[in-house]
Amino acid sequence: MGDISCSNGISNGNGVHGKELPLNGYRKSCWYEEEIEENLRWSFALNSILHTGATQYQDIALLDTKPFGKALVIDGKLQSAETDEFIYHESLVHPALLHHSNPRTIFIMGGGEGSTAREILRHKTVEKVIMCDIDEEVVDFCKSYLIVNREAFCDPRLDLIINDARAELESREEVYDVIIGDLADPIEGGPCYKLYTKSFYEFTVKPRLSQGGIFVTQAGPAGIFSHTEVFSCIYNTLRQVFKYVVPYSAHIPSFADTWGWVMASDSPFVPNADELDLRMKHKIKGENRYLDGKTFSSASTLSKAVRNSLDNETHVYTEGTARFIYGHGSAYKNNHG
Protein backbone atom coordinates (compact mmCIF):
# COMPACT_ATOMS: atom_id res chain seq x y z
CA MET A 1 0.00 0.00 0.00
CA GLY A 2 1.02 3.63 0.15
CA ASP A 3 3.25 4.90 2.91
CA ILE A 4 2.09 4.92 6.52
CA SER A 5 4.03 7.39 8.60
CA CYS A 6 3.83 7.73 12.35
CA SER A 7 5.40 10.40 14.49
CA ASN A 8 5.46 11.18 18.19
CA GLY A 9 5.87 14.89 17.83
CA ILE A 10 6.90 17.65 15.49
CA SER A 11 9.70 17.53 12.97
CA ASN A 12 12.72 19.64 13.80
CA GLY A 13 13.18 20.23 10.08
CA ASN A 14 16.05 17.77 9.81
CA GLY A 15 14.14 14.53 10.20
CA VAL A 16 14.77 11.80 7.66
CA HIS A 17 13.03 8.39 7.92
CA GLY A 18 12.76 7.88 11.62
CA LYS A 19 15.25 10.51 12.80
CA GLU A 20 12.79 13.17 13.88
CA LEU A 21 12.73 14.26 17.48
CA PRO A 22 9.68 13.31 19.55
CA LEU A 23 8.51 16.08 21.84
CA ASN A 24 6.79 15.35 25.13
CA GLY A 25 3.20 16.48 25.36
CA TYR A 26 2.31 15.89 21.70
CA ARG A 27 0.05 12.99 20.75
CA LYS A 28 1.29 10.32 18.41
CA SER A 29 -0.26 10.60 14.96
CA CYS A 30 -0.30 8.36 11.90
CA TRP A 31 -0.83 9.36 8.28
CA TYR A 32 -1.54 7.51 5.05
CA GLU A 33 0.25 8.85 1.99
CA GLU A 34 -0.26 7.90 -1.64
CA GLU A 35 1.81 9.09 -4.56
CA ILE A 36 -0.62 10.28 -7.22
CA GLU A 37 1.97 11.63 -9.63
CA GLU A 38 5.74 11.89 -9.60
CA ASN A 39 5.70 15.21 -7.78
CA LEU A 40 2.31 15.00 -6.07
CA ARG A 41 1.28 13.09 -2.97
CA TRP A 42 -2.04 12.84 -1.14
CA SER A 43 -2.08 12.34 2.60
CA PHE A 44 -4.62 12.03 5.38
CA ALA A 45 -4.63 11.25 9.09
CA LEU A 46 -5.43 7.82 10.48
CA ASN A 47 -7.23 6.75 13.62
CA SER A 48 -5.86 3.23 13.25
CA ILE A 49 -4.72 0.53 10.85
CA LEU A 50 -7.42 -2.13 11.04
CA HIS A 51 -5.78 -4.77 8.88
CA THR A 52 -2.93 -5.28 6.43
CA GLY A 53 -2.07 -8.37 4.45
CA ALA A 54 -1.21 -9.86 1.10
CA THR A 55 -3.19 -12.29 -1.03
CA GLN A 56 -1.99 -14.36 -3.96
CA TYR A 57 -2.80 -11.45 -6.26
CA GLN A 58 -2.46 -8.18 -4.37
CA ASP A 59 -1.64 -6.30 -1.18
CA ILE A 60 -4.64 -5.21 0.88
CA ALA A 61 -5.22 -2.89 3.80
CA LEU A 62 -8.18 -1.52 5.70
CA LEU A 63 -7.54 1.84 7.35
CA ASP A 64 -9.67 3.85 9.75
CA THR A 65 -9.08 7.38 8.47
CA LYS A 66 -10.05 10.59 10.19
CA PRO A 67 -11.53 12.43 7.17
CA PHE A 68 -13.05 9.51 5.21
CA GLY A 69 -13.88 6.73 7.68
CA LYS A 70 -12.89 3.17 6.80
CA ALA A 71 -10.83 3.03 3.60
CA LEU A 72 -9.94 0.01 1.49
CA VAL A 73 -6.47 0.13 -0.12
CA ILE A 74 -5.31 -2.42 -2.70
CA ASP A 75 -1.83 -2.44 -4.22
CA GLY A 76 -1.08 1.01 -2.89
CA LYS A 77 -4.18 2.61 -4.38
CA LEU A 78 -7.23 3.74 -2.43
CA GLN A 79 -10.22 1.76 -3.75
CA SER A 80 -13.05 3.23 -1.73
CA ALA A 81 -13.73 5.14 1.45
CA GLU A 82 -16.72 4.93 3.74
CA THR A 83 -17.83 8.56 3.51
CA ASP A 84 -17.86 8.97 -0.28
CA GLU A 85 -17.94 5.53 -1.92
CA PHE A 86 -21.60 6.17 -2.74
CA ILE A 87 -20.50 8.71 -5.38
CA TYR A 88 -18.35 6.14 -7.18
CA HIS A 89 -20.78 3.23 -6.96
CA GLU A 90 -23.95 5.15 -7.81
CA SER A 91 -22.14 6.61 -10.81
CA LEU A 92 -20.85 3.21 -11.93
CA VAL A 93 -24.13 1.31 -11.60
CA HIS A 94 -27.22 3.44 -12.08
CA PRO A 95 -26.65 5.17 -15.43
CA ALA A 96 -26.33 1.83 -17.25
CA LEU A 97 -29.21 0.13 -15.46
CA LEU A 98 -31.48 3.16 -15.92
CA HIS A 99 -30.69 3.56 -19.62
CA HIS A 100 -31.61 -0.10 -20.15
CA SER A 101 -35.37 -0.55 -20.47
CA ASN A 102 -35.57 -3.74 -18.40
CA PRO A 103 -32.30 -4.88 -16.79
CA ARG A 104 -32.78 -8.35 -15.34
CA THR A 105 -29.40 -10.11 -15.57
CA ILE A 106 -26.16 -8.35 -14.60
CA PHE A 107 -22.54 -9.50 -14.69
CA ILE A 108 -19.98 -7.71 -12.49
CA MET A 109 -16.31 -8.06 -13.34
CA GLY A 110 -14.53 -7.55 -10.03
CA GLY A 111 -16.54 -5.73 -7.40
CA GLY A 112 -15.17 -7.80 -4.52
CA GLU A 113 -16.06 -5.28 -1.83
CA GLY A 114 -19.77 -5.76 -2.57
CA SER A 115 -20.78 -2.11 -3.03
CA THR A 116 -21.51 -2.49 -6.75
CA ALA A 117 -23.75 -5.49 -6.07
CA ARG A 118 -25.48 -3.51 -3.31
CA GLU A 119 -26.44 -0.73 -5.73
CA ILE A 120 -27.52 -3.15 -8.47
CA LEU A 121 -29.75 -5.08 -6.08
CA ARG A 122 -31.71 -1.91 -5.32
CA HIS A 123 -33.20 -2.19 -8.83
CA LYS A 124 -36.57 -3.93 -8.72
CA THR A 125 -36.26 -5.49 -12.19
CA VAL A 126 -33.00 -7.29 -11.39
CA GLU A 127 -33.41 -11.05 -11.12
CA LYS A 128 -29.82 -12.30 -11.17
CA VAL A 129 -26.42 -10.79 -10.47
CA ILE A 130 -23.17 -12.63 -11.20
CA MET A 131 -20.26 -11.12 -9.30
CA CYS A 132 -16.97 -12.54 -10.53
CA ASP A 133 -13.84 -11.60 -8.62
CA ILE A 134 -10.47 -13.31 -8.92
CA ASP A 135 -9.40 -12.82 -5.31
CA GLU A 136 -11.38 -14.85 -2.78
CA GLU A 137 -9.38 -13.47 0.14
CA VAL A 138 -10.34 -9.90 -0.73
CA VAL A 139 -14.01 -10.90 -1.01
CA ASP A 140 -13.95 -12.70 2.34
CA PHE A 141 -12.09 -9.77 3.88
CA CYS A 142 -14.75 -7.31 2.67
CA LYS A 143 -17.57 -9.57 3.82
CA SER A 144 -16.07 -9.51 7.30
CA TYR A 145 -15.17 -5.85 7.61
CA LEU A 146 -17.57 -3.85 5.39
CA ILE A 147 -20.80 -4.10 7.34
CA VAL A 148 -22.71 -1.83 4.93
CA ASN A 149 -22.61 -4.55 2.24
CA ARG A 150 -23.50 -7.61 4.30
CA GLU A 151 -27.13 -7.54 3.18
CA ALA A 152 -26.06 -7.55 -0.47
CA PHE A 153 -23.81 -10.58 0.04
CA CYS A 154 -26.79 -12.44 1.55
CA ASP A 155 -29.24 -11.54 -1.25
CA PRO A 156 -30.41 -14.73 -3.01
CA ARG A 157 -30.21 -12.96 -6.39
CA LEU A 158 -26.43 -12.65 -6.01
CA ASP A 159 -24.24 -15.45 -7.37
CA LEU A 160 -20.64 -15.00 -6.24
CA ILE A 161 -18.01 -16.62 -8.47
CA ILE A 162 -14.30 -16.73 -7.69
CA ASN A 163 -12.57 -16.74 -11.06
CA ASP A 164 -10.82 -14.60 -13.63
CA ALA A 165 -13.57 -12.48 -15.20
CA ARG A 166 -12.31 -13.10 -18.73
CA ALA A 167 -12.25 -16.87 -18.28
CA GLU A 168 -15.67 -16.84 -16.65
CA LEU A 169 -17.33 -14.79 -19.39
CA GLU A 170 -15.74 -16.93 -22.10
CA SER A 171 -16.95 -20.13 -20.44
CA ARG A 172 -20.58 -18.99 -20.20
CA GLU A 173 -23.20 -19.21 -22.93
CA GLU A 174 -25.87 -16.94 -21.42
CA VAL A 175 -26.02 -13.24 -22.22
CA TYR A 176 -26.50 -10.31 -19.86
CA ASP A 177 -28.45 -7.08 -20.03
CA VAL A 178 -25.65 -5.12 -18.36
CA ILE A 179 -21.98 -5.99 -17.84
CA ILE A 180 -20.11 -3.81 -15.34
CA GLY A 181 -16.35 -3.45 -15.10
CA ASP A 182 -15.60 -2.70 -11.45
CA LEU A 183 -11.98 -3.65 -11.81
CA ALA A 184 -8.84 -2.37 -10.19
CA ASP A 185 -7.08 0.34 -12.14
CA PRO A 186 -4.73 -0.73 -14.93
CA ILE A 187 -1.47 -0.76 -13.00
CA GLU A 188 1.73 -2.08 -14.51
CA GLY A 189 2.24 -5.59 -13.16
CA GLY A 190 -1.34 -5.72 -11.86
CA PRO A 191 -3.90 -8.43 -12.68
CA CYS A 192 -6.47 -6.29 -14.49
CA TYR A 193 -4.97 -4.32 -17.36
CA LYS A 194 -5.79 -7.00 -19.95
CA LEU A 195 -9.47 -6.44 -19.20
CA TYR A 196 -9.30 -2.92 -20.68
CA THR A 197 -8.18 -4.01 -24.15
CA LYS A 198 -9.95 -3.79 -27.50
CA SER A 199 -9.76 -7.56 -28.01
CA PHE A 200 -11.38 -8.19 -24.63
CA TYR A 201 -14.21 -5.74 -25.30
CA GLU A 202 -14.77 -7.01 -28.83
CA PHE A 203 -14.45 -10.78 -28.43
CA THR A 204 -15.36 -11.40 -24.78
CA VAL A 205 -17.65 -8.63 -23.49
CA LYS A 206 -19.73 -7.73 -26.54
CA PRO A 207 -20.79 -11.31 -27.42
CA ARG A 208 -22.08 -11.75 -23.85
CA LEU A 209 -24.43 -8.75 -24.06
CA SER A 210 -28.10 -9.29 -24.87
CA GLN A 211 -29.91 -7.28 -27.55
CA GLY A 212 -29.86 -3.68 -26.34
CA GLY A 213 -27.28 -4.60 -23.70
CA ILE A 214 -25.02 -2.03 -22.06
CA PHE A 215 -21.42 -2.25 -20.92
CA VAL A 216 -19.98 0.19 -18.39
CA THR A 217 -16.54 0.35 -16.84
CA GLN A 218 -14.69 2.47 -14.37
CA ALA A 219 -12.03 4.24 -16.41
CA GLY A 220 -9.55 5.78 -14.01
CA PRO A 221 -8.71 9.40 -13.23
CA ALA A 222 -10.56 11.91 -15.42
CA GLY A 223 -9.26 15.23 -14.13
CA ILE A 224 -8.13 18.12 -16.27
CA PHE A 225 -4.55 16.81 -16.19
CA SER A 226 -4.98 13.14 -15.26
CA HIS A 227 -7.52 12.08 -17.90
CA THR A 228 -4.80 11.30 -20.45
CA GLU A 229 -3.40 8.49 -18.28
CA VAL A 230 -6.06 5.92 -19.22
CA PHE A 231 -9.51 7.57 -19.39
CA SER A 232 -9.14 8.97 -22.90
CA CYS A 233 -7.76 5.77 -24.41
CA ILE A 234 -10.36 3.53 -22.70
CA TYR A 235 -12.99 5.80 -24.24
CA ASN A 236 -11.36 5.65 -27.67
CA THR A 237 -10.92 1.87 -27.42
CA LEU A 238 -14.62 1.37 -26.71
CA ARG A 239 -15.46 3.62 -29.69
CA GLN A 240 -13.79 1.03 -31.90
CA VAL A 241 -16.15 -1.68 -30.62
CA PHE A 242 -19.55 -0.06 -29.87
CA LYS A 243 -21.73 2.36 -31.84
CA TYR A 244 -22.68 4.56 -28.88
CA VAL A 245 -20.17 5.51 -26.19
CA VAL A 246 -20.74 7.97 -23.34
CA PRO A 247 -17.88 9.12 -21.07
CA TYR A 248 -18.78 10.78 -17.77
CA SER A 249 -17.06 11.81 -14.57
CA ALA A 250 -17.49 12.93 -10.97
CA HIS A 251 -15.28 14.31 -8.24
CA ILE A 252 -14.41 11.77 -5.54
CA PRO A 253 -12.99 13.62 -2.51
CA SER A 254 -11.04 10.67 -1.10
CA PHE A 255 -9.42 10.07 -4.52
CA ALA A 256 -8.25 13.69 -4.64
CA ASP A 257 -9.35 13.80 -8.28
CA THR A 258 -12.21 13.61 -10.73
CA TRP A 259 -12.99 10.00 -11.66
CA GLY A 260 -14.20 8.63 -14.97
CA TRP A 261 -16.55 5.95 -16.28
CA VAL A 262 -17.43 4.97 -19.83
CA MET A 263 -20.78 3.48 -20.89
CA ALA A 264 -21.15 1.73 -24.26
CA SER A 265 -23.82 0.00 -26.32
CA ASP A 266 -24.93 -0.69 -29.88
CA SER A 267 -28.31 0.81 -28.97
CA PRO A 268 -28.69 4.58 -28.50
CA PHE A 269 -28.95 6.10 -25.03
CA VAL A 270 -32.38 7.72 -25.28
CA PRO A 271 -33.61 8.81 -21.81
CA ASN A 272 -33.18 12.48 -20.87
CA ALA A 273 -32.83 13.80 -17.31
CA ASP A 274 -36.56 13.80 -16.60
CA GLU A 275 -36.98 10.25 -17.89
CA LEU A 276 -34.05 9.07 -15.78
CA ASP A 277 -35.67 10.63 -12.70
CA LEU A 278 -38.96 8.90 -13.51
CA ARG A 279 -37.22 5.55 -13.88
CA MET A 280 -35.39 6.06 -10.59
CA LYS A 281 -38.67 6.75 -8.84
CA HIS A 282 -40.30 3.57 -10.08
CA LYS A 283 -37.40 1.15 -10.42
CA ILE A 284 -35.01 1.79 -7.53
CA LYS A 285 -35.64 1.03 -3.88
CA GLY A 286 -34.76 3.99 -1.70
CA GLU A 287 -33.20 7.32 -2.61
CA ASN A 288 -29.86 7.89 -4.26
CA ARG A 289 -27.59 10.18 -2.31
CA TYR A 290 -25.67 11.47 -5.34
CA LEU A 291 -27.09 10.61 -8.74
CA ASP A 292 -30.25 11.90 -10.38
CA GLY A 293 -31.11 12.88 -13.95
CA LYS A 294 -29.59 16.36 -13.82
CA THR A 295 -26.48 15.04 -12.08
CA PHE A 296 -25.91 12.55 -14.88
CA SER A 297 -26.48 15.24 -17.50
CA SER A 298 -23.81 17.30 -15.77
CA ALA A 299 -21.47 14.33 -15.31
CA SER A 300 -21.62 13.50 -19.02
CA THR A 301 -20.94 17.11 -20.02
CA LEU A 302 -17.16 17.14 -19.84
CA SER A 303 -15.01 20.25 -19.83
CA LYS A 304 -13.80 21.71 -23.11
CA ALA A 305 -10.23 20.56 -22.52
CA VAL A 306 -11.22 16.97 -21.73
CA ARG A 307 -13.69 16.83 -24.64
CA ASN A 308 -11.00 17.97 -27.02
CA SER A 309 -8.59 15.34 -25.71
CA LEU A 310 -11.16 12.58 -26.10
CA ASP A 311 -12.11 13.74 -29.59
CA ASN A 312 -8.46 13.72 -30.65
CA GLU A 313 -7.39 10.53 -28.86
CA THR A 314 -6.01 7.93 -31.29
CA HIS A 315 -4.52 5.39 -28.87
CA VAL A 316 -6.26 2.02 -28.76
CA TYR A 317 -5.69 -0.08 -25.65
CA THR A 318 -4.10 -3.44 -26.45
CA GLU A 319 -1.94 -5.81 -24.45
CA GLY A 320 1.08 -4.63 -26.41
CA THR A 321 0.29 -0.91 -26.14
CA ALA A 322 -1.23 -0.75 -22.66
CA ARG A 323 -1.27 2.46 -20.66
CA PHE A 324 -1.16 2.47 -16.88
CA ILE A 325 -2.07 4.88 -14.14
CA TYR A 326 0.87 6.28 -12.20
CA GLY A 327 2.58 4.30 -9.48
CA HIS A 328 2.45 0.98 -7.74
CA GLY A 329 2.38 1.13 -3.96
CA SER A 330 4.45 -0.86 -1.53
CA ALA A 331 3.80 -1.42 2.14
CA TYR A 332 6.28 -0.07 4.62
CA LYS A 333 6.37 2.12 7.69
CA ASN A 334 8.49 5.16 8.29
CA ASN A 335 8.55 7.96 10.78
CA HIS A 336 8.75 11.15 8.79
CA GLY A 337 6.12 13.50 10.17
Side-chain angles (χ1 to χ4, degrees):
M1 49 182 252
D3 301 357
I4 295 175
S5 62
C6 298
S7 66
N8 288 308
I10 297 177
S11 170
N12 66 350
N14 298 311
V16 178
H17 298 292
K19 301 299 183 183
E20 290 171 357
L21 302 178
L23 302 179
N24 294 329
Y26 287 91
R27 295 180 62 190
K28 180 177 180 179
S29 63
C30 288
W31 290 75
Y32 171 77
E33 185 178 83
E34 183 175 311
E35 192 164 310
I36 299 173
E37 298 175 12
E38 186 174 359
N39 298 309
L40 180 62
R41 293 190 172 197
W42 171 232
S43 184
F44 43 81
L46 302 180
N47 290 315
S48 62
I49 302 165
L50 299 175
H51 179 83
T52 61
T55 75
Q56 177 184 350
Y57 300 99
Q58 49 209 350
D59 295 327
I60 183 171
L62 187 68
L63 311 176
D64 182 7
T65 78
K66 291 187 177 181
F68 301 116
K70 289 181 183 177
L72 180 66
V73 178
I74 294 179
D75 276 346
K77 294 293 180 181
L78 182 70
Q79 301 299 304
S80 71
E82 190 174 19
T83 60
D84 63 5
E85 58 87 4
F86 68 94
I87 303 172
Y88 173 94
H89 290 103
E90 288 184 17
S91 297
L92 173 66
V93 168
H94 298 306
L97 269 71
L98 290 166
H99 278 88
H100 195 286
S101 59
N102 187 31
R104 292 176 298 149
T105 56
I106 319 295
F107 190 100
I108 309 169
M109 302 187 298
E113 71 177 86
S115 300
T116 296
R118 179 197 72 214
E119 292 300 317
I120 292 169
L121 291 164
R122 292 176 54 210
H123 284 254
K124 299 173 185 177
T125 61
V126 168
E127 298 171 0
K128 184 179 182 181
V129 181
I130 307 293
M131 186 176 95
C132 182
D133 198 287
I134 197 171
D135 199 329
E136 186 171 19
E137 290 180 67
V138 167
V139 174
D140 289 343
F141 176 86
C142 293
K143 279 183 180 180
S144 299
Y145 285 97
L146 302 182
I147 298 171
V148 68
N149 296 331
R150 283 186 180 168
E151 186 176 336
F153 278 115
C154 294
D155 194 299
R157 293 173 292 169
L158 180 66
D159 186 6
L160 173 60
I161 305 290
I162 303 300
N163 196 6
D164 173 75
R166 181 180 211 150
E168 188 65 28
L169 278 172
E170 290 174 349
S171 71
R172 289 174 172 261
E173 294 185 0
E174 66 261 43
V175 292
Y176 303 93
D177 297 319
V178 178
I179 296 177
I180 296 176
D182 186 19
L183 301 161
D185 300 316
I187 296 174
E188 192 164 11
C192 291
Y193 78 92
K194 294 179 181 180
L195 304 188
Y196 291 92
T197 60
K198 179 177 182 287
S199 62
F200 176 67
Y201 294 149
E202 186 172 8
F203 300 117
T204 303
V205 171
K206 192 172 182 178
R208 297 274 72 81
L209 285 171
S210 60
Q211 183 70 29
I214 297 172
F215 172 67
V216 63
T217 182
Q218 80 90 9
I224 193 73
F225 302 122
S226 60
H227 71 275
T228 55
E229 290 184 18
V230 294
F231 180 61
S232 60
C233 70
I234 291 172
Y235 165 73
N236 186 56
T237 302
L238 284 165
R239 282 201 303 178
Q240 314 304 310
V241 178
F242 293 94
K243 290 181 181 177
Y244 303 95
V245 181
V246 177
Y248 58 101
S249 63
H251 179 66
I252 312 289
S254 62
F255 290 179
D257 205 347
T258 300
W259 212 253
W261 301 265
V262 183
M263 183 169 64
S265 180
D266 278 345
S267 298
F269 298 110
V270 176
N272 59 21
D274 290 339
E275 175 63 23
L276 289 175
D277 283 338
L278 192 62
R279 292 185 181 189
M280 286 184 206
K281 182 178 179 181
H282 291 107
K283 294 187 174 187
I284 299 180
K285 296 177 182 176
E287 288 280 333
N288 284 346
R289 295 174 63 188
Y290 177 75
L291 194 86
D292 63 3
K294 288 182 179 178
T295 304
F296 181 73
S297 295
S298 172
S300 55
T301 305
L302 305 176
S303 70
K304 178 182 178 181
V306 176
R307 289 199 315 272
N308 286 342
S309 286
L310 267 59
D311 288 344
N312 295 317
E313 180 63 78
T314 59
H315 191 92
V316 175
Y317 206 108
T318 69
E319 289 188 24
T321 62
R323 288 184 183 175
F324 305 100
I325 68 165
Y326 181 80
H328 186 286
S330 59
Y332 64 91
K333 286 188 178 183
N334 59 29
N335 290 312
H336 62 86

